[in-house]
Amino acid sequence: MERPNSLSAVLHEIRLAGPIARIDLARRLGLSSAAITKLTARLLAANLIQEVGHAPSAAGRRPILLALNGEAFFVIGLDLSWQGLRGAIVSLDGRVLTDRKETRNLFEEEDDREIVGTLVSHVEALVRESGVDRGRLLGVGLVAPGAVSWHQGRMVAPTPPTMSLTRSIRRRPPFDWSHIPLAEELQARTGLPTFVDNNANAAAVAETWFGQHRGAKNLAYVAVGGGIGAGLIINGEPYRGDRGVVAEIGHTTVQVDGPPCRCGNVGCLELFASTVALLDEARRLITEGKAEALGDLAAWKGNLDQLTVEAVYRCAYQGNPACGELVERQVAYLGAGLVNLVNMLGCSLVVLGSREISFPMLEWLCEKVTALVRERAYAAAARYVEVCPSRLGADAFILGAATLVLHPFFDAPERVMGRAA
Ligand SMILES: [Zn+2]
């Protein structure tokens, strides 16, 4: 990853590898011991890092270990979705502190002032509830599904949720927030620097900052829900494209004469591989009287709207053949989509995240998808492909939102140094 300067490089390295001794920092960064001593002294004086004990050593003096001071500053993450708005205060080391949710769906709000006003009051409530001093807040990161222009700080067209295939496809009125200068408005009204991005783009960054794959150079994060979105890390940096439409793997064609999709295309991947598609199929089997074959799912007969993806997965995991087929169908389509993705990008690491599938079930799904991708992707690279479950769970988007502010801060810490000392 390109580092703007040595101070930033040291801070990034302590974040990634800490607790770490000065001598190891020098080795990893190719800097002299004298330079490391000087740079870490500046970071210690600014209270951004701290000494946290000694490394074990066979002989001689045991070196002092340095770690990030996670509570030197804080950021605010906002996760906007069709389920509502979640906000959180997040520490520099990715701990979610104060958490605040409201179920109001801002995407159905027509008044621009209401949209901005709700976001601003959510931020203010978080600041009040957390008791964090305003001077220690670095900014606000806001994420949402669909086309979001990070460059312009605007949401171009938040995606409506996938329309169920078995119901008639309702085309919603064209959804356009591109006239609202969201980042600018929020910044003007809260006094905090504000950044916006697509939720899967941001979650991909969160995986390389706080997930199992810290420091990964190339990674694709794929969010499996009612829609299927992806975020890409290429050469250590998030790839953001030109117009806020990036890695829309859910809207790649897997059936050229398939059913119409809400995006305007036909036969899109998410029509077959999303959780909405899985639930539609399960409901169809139940209503067609095949509920007995679905084992435990039969109990949902009078309660179809409440049926959960987790229930279908659990039933399949316990060996029910009809539910197993539903999961295998999702695996087949998702696998095909990921074969296209890894063949095109040449990236070996894919992280699957989901708000609807629990970790053990997601792990099971990943094993199946990995096997399929390894069998079908371009042979020379296929055996290196790993499709891993995200361990960030429901926090992936909120942590991603936090990285929108953390990234520029770690790239140029000297801009706010002194404030936390
Ligand atoms: Zn589509």
Side-chain angles (χ1 to χ4, degrees), residues 47 50 68-74 91-93 95 97 136 420:
N47 204 21
Q50 46 200 354
L68 189 66
N69 173 14
E71 305 211 344
F73 288 106
F74 302 91
S91 63
L92 292 186
D93 51 359
R95 274 171 301 128
L97 306 171
R136 304 209 10 215

Side-chain angles (χ1 to χ4, degrees), residues 12 20 30 32 51 54 60-62 64 70 79 85 109 128 185 199 214 240 268 274 372 399 416 420:
H12 267 295
I20 183 170
S32 69
E51 295 182 335
H54 294 83
R61 256 175 50 197
R62 292 157 62 214
I64 296 168
D79 170 11
L85 173 63
E109 182 57 62
R128 265 197 319 275
E185 290 268 331
N199 54 14
R214 282 183 181 216
R240 292 192 168 108
C268 290
S274 68
L372 191 147
L399 290 175
V416 284

Side-chain angles (χ1 to χ4, degrees), residues 239-284:
Y239 176 68
R240 292 192 168 108
D242 293 330
R243 299 272 159 210
V245 178
V246 178
E248 288 292 350
I249 183 178
H251 298 287
T252 51
T253 309
V254 291
Q255 200 179 96
V256 288
D257 55 354
C261 177
R262 63 196 163 109
C263 74
N265 192 2
V266 297
C268 290
L269 176 67
E270 71 179 40
L271 295 172
F272 305 95
S274 68
T275 55
V276 168
L278 180 90
L279 286 175
D280 275 350
E281 278 299 301
R283 289 193 195 105
R284 189 177 58 80

Side-chain angles (χ1 to χ4, degrees), residues 5 47 116 173 191 265 325 364 379 404:
N5 61 47
N47 204 21
V116 176
N265 192 2
E325 271 175 39
W364 186 52
L404 297 179

Side-chain angles (χ1 to χ4, degrees), residues 89-394:
I89 303 267
V90 180
S91 63
L92 292 186
D93 51 359
R95 274 171 301 128
V96 174
L97 306 171
T98 311
D99 206 334
R100 197 167 190 281
K101 288 183 184 122
E102 54 185 286
T103 49
R104 187 169 158 201
N105 182 357
L106 277 190
F107 293 136
E108 280 175 347
E109 182 57 62
E110 279 172 12
D111 185 344
D112 298 353
R113 282 163 312 179
E114 269 299 307
I115 295 167
V116 176
T118 305
L119 293 170
V120 169
S121 42
H122 203 93
V123 167
E124 294 305 339
L126 269 172
V127 176
R128 265 197 319 275
E129 281 166 29
S130 69
V132 168
D133 180 64
R134 251 194 140 76
R136 304 209 10 215
L137 284 169
L138 295 173
V140 178
L142 167 64
V143 300
V148 182
S149 174
W150 175 82
H151 305 282
Q152 299 177 329
R154 294 173 190 227
M155 281 175 205
V156 182
T159 342
T162 310
M163 293 304 138
S164 175
L165 268 181
T166 51
R167 296 160 208 171
S168 63
I169 294 196
R170 284 182 293 157
R171 253 197 183 281
R172 283 176 182 253
F175 214 94
D176 191 352
W177 280 14
S178 60
H179 60 284
I180 314 175
L182 264 186
E184 218 177 287
E185 290 268 331
L186 251 70
Q187 184 156 337
R189 293 185 51 186
T190 62
L192 297 164
T194 302
F195 305 87
V196 305
D197 204 351
N198 166 273
N199 54 14
N201 282 1
V205 180
E207 283 297 333
T208 65
W209 279 55
F210 307 120
Q212 294 291 100
H213 310 282
R214 282 183 181 216
K217 286 274 179 209
N218 298 311
L219 173 152
Y221 175 90
V222 178
V224 183
I228 296 180
L232 306 176
I233 301 297
I234 297 176
N235 294 328
E237 293 291 335
Y239 176 68
R240 292 192 168 108
D242 293 330
R243 299 272 159 210
V245 178
V246 178
E248 288 292 350
I249 183 178
H251 298 287
T252 51
T253 309
V254 291
Q255 200 179 96
V256 288
D257 55 354
C261 177
R262 63 196 163 109
C263 74
N265 192 2
V266 297
C268 290
L269 176 67
E270 71 179 40
L271 295 172
F272 305 95
S274 68
T275 55
V276 168
L278 180 90
L279 286 175
D280 275 350
E281 278 299 301
R283 289 193 195 105
R284 189 177 58 80
L285 292 179
I286 295 171
T287 47
E288 280 175 5
K290 295 184 183 145
E292 286 66 37
L294 291 168
D296 288 351
L297 285 199
W300 295 82
K301 199 164 183 176
N303 206 6
L304 284 184
D305 280 344
Q306 304 297 313
L307 180 65
T308 62
V309 179
E310 189 67 12
V312 179
Y313 262 80
R314 296 251 165 220
C315 186
Y317 190 74
Q318 283 155 13
N320 178 276
C323 286
E325 271 175 39
L326 296 179
V327 170
E328 289 306 331
R329 181 176 182 267
Q330 190 181 31
V331 168
Y333 279 104
L334 198 55
L338 294 187
V339 166
N340 294 344
L341 184 78
V342 302
N343 277 354
M344 183 127 67
L345 287 179
C347 104
S348 314
L349 182 58
V350 180
V351 179
L352 285 196
S354 180
R355 295 197 212 233
E356 294 169 63
I357 308 171
S358 68
F359 185 80
M361 293 298 111
L362 197 60
E363 202 172 23
W364 186 52
L365 172 65
C366 285
E367 279 168 26
K368 289 172 175 293
V369 175
T370 301
L372 191 147
V373 176
R374 285 189 181 170
E375 193 185 306
R376 304 245 194 102
Y378 201 93
R383 66 195 154 107
Y384 302 104
V385 174
E386 255 187 282
V387 182
C388 308
S390 169
R391 289 186 182 271
L392 299 180

